[in-house]
């Protein structure tokens, strides 16, 4: 398990990139004399911090990939959004596809892939809301797209209409729950907010 900092790509985005989370994990194992092929089971956007599962060999990777596919890995997030939601908890079930007018942006599309996000309002702060969210699916930018589609973009997420904020994008993967692929021991792993995002709990 790795607690990804803000501003780091999960995977290298080009051949000569050496500052991705995957590179850092590989370098760590090498420094410890551990021979393995560390592979992230899921990814977080560059400006999203928090918990990422890495598999150390092909067998655990295959098992964890299957667990993720069958929704046996639960991921929980914290986000601060612009505005106050009308419902204290709800499920957003809207398919997501590529936005043909932008190279990286996604959008809700009837021809997109199934995407399901659950949210609960933790508290309201002036014209902001702190949410706890969990995913049934893992589409690119899923939480960001779904919340923006509702009209409540994430604070600092200017790609999807959020208000620019000096603290950056207010989205953090706070925990994951899963069963160990070999020992079958249940785990709940908590990822503390990084220093630059601790303000989210006191906003």
């Amino acid at each position: 398990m790795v607690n990804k900092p803000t501003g780091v790509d999960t995977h290298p985005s080009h051949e000569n990139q050496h500052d991705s989370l995957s590179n850092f994990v590989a370098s760590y194992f090498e420094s410890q004399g551990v021979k393995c092929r560390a592979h992230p089971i899921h990814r977080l956007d560059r400006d999203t911090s928090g918990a990422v599962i890495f598999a150390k060999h092909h067998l655990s990777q295959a098992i964890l990939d299957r667990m993720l596919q069958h929704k046996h890995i639960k991921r929980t997030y914290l986000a601060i959004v612009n505005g106050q939601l009308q419902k204290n908890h709800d499920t957003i079930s809207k398919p997501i596809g590529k936005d043909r007018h932008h190279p990286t942006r996604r959008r809700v599309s009837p021809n997109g892939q199934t995407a399901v996000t659950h949210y609960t309002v933790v508290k309201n702060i002036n014209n902001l809301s702190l949410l706890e969210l969990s995913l049934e699916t893992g589409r690119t930018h899923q939480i960001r797209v779904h919340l923006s589609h509702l009209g409540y973009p994430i604070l600092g997420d200017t790609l999807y209409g959020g208000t620019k904020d000096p603290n950056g994008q207010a989205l953090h993967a706070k925990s994951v729950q899963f069963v160990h692929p070999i020992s079958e021991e249940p785990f709940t792993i908590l990822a503390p907010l990084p220093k630059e995002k601790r303000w989210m709990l006191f906003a």
Side-chain angles (χ1 to χ4, degrees):
M1 294 300 308
V2 180
N3 191 359
K4 186 183 94 62
T6 305
V8 175
D9 292 322
T10 304
H11 301 278
S13 57
H14 54 80
E15 187 175 345
N16 296 319
Q17 182 179 354
H18 302 295
D19 59 352
S20 72
L21 190 68
S22 296
N23 293 130
F24 295 153
V25 172
S27 295
Y28 168 78
F29 281 127
E30 186 176 348
S31 72
Q32 300 298 306
V34 178
K35 293 183 179 180
C36 67
R37 177 185 172 275
H39 180 83
I41 299 303
H42 55 104
R43 63 181 294 276
L44 296 176
D45 298 334
R46 179 179 178 83
D47 293 323
T48 302
S49 54
V52 179
I53 303 172
F54 275 80
K56 293 169 65 176
H57 50 71
H58 290 292
L59 175 60
S60 60
Q61 179 186 337
I63 297 171
L64 287 163
D65 282 343
R66 187 165 62 250
M67 289 168 62
L68 188 67
Q69 181 182 356
H70 291 290
K71 304 175 184 177
H72 294 157
I73 297 177
K74 181 181 179 182
R75 292 163 288 165
T76 305
Y77 293 75
L78 289 175
I80 292 181
V81 300
N82 292 110
Q84 295 190 5
L85 286 80
Q86 296 178 357
K87 297 180 179 180
N88 284 330
H89 52 85
D90 202 0
T91 296
I92 311 166
S93 182
K94 298 285 185 182
I96 292 175
K98 291 183 178 180
D99 186 337
R100 59 188 178 90
H101 301 294
H102 193 281
T104 59
R105 192 164 52 206
R106 300 296 193 270
R107 66 184 184 89
V108 167
S109 168
N111 298 318
Q113 295 177 297
T114 300
V116 180
T117 305
H118 307 282
Y119 76 80
T120 299
V121 177
V122 178
K123 64 178 178 178
N124 295 315
I125 321 106
N126 297 322
N127 196 39
L128 301 173
S129 299
L130 174 63
L131 309 182
E132 184 173 282
L133 308 104
S134 61
L135 301 178
E136 283 193 25
T137 53
R139 308 306 176 200
T140 300
H141 299 178
Q142 177 173 319
I143 291 175
R144 299 164 65 190
V145 173
H146 272 170
L147 291 174
S148 177
H149 179 74
L150 285 187
Y152 304 97
I154 294 172
L155 183 65
D157 186 8
T158 55
L159 181 62
Y160 290 102
T163 303
K164 189 174 183 180
D165 190 272
N167 296 300
Q169 181 176 288
L171 181 61
H172 175 73
K174 65 172 283 190
S175 68
V176 292
Q177 291 176 270
F178 65 102
V179 173
H180 191 283
I182 307 301
S183 69
E184 298 186 350
E185 181 182 357
F187 277 98
T188 297
I189 308 294
L190 303 178
L193 282 160
K195 189 180 298 183
E196 68 273 13
K197 287 189 177 179
R198 289 177 190 164
W199 64 272
M200 288 177 61
L201 293 180
F202 306 99

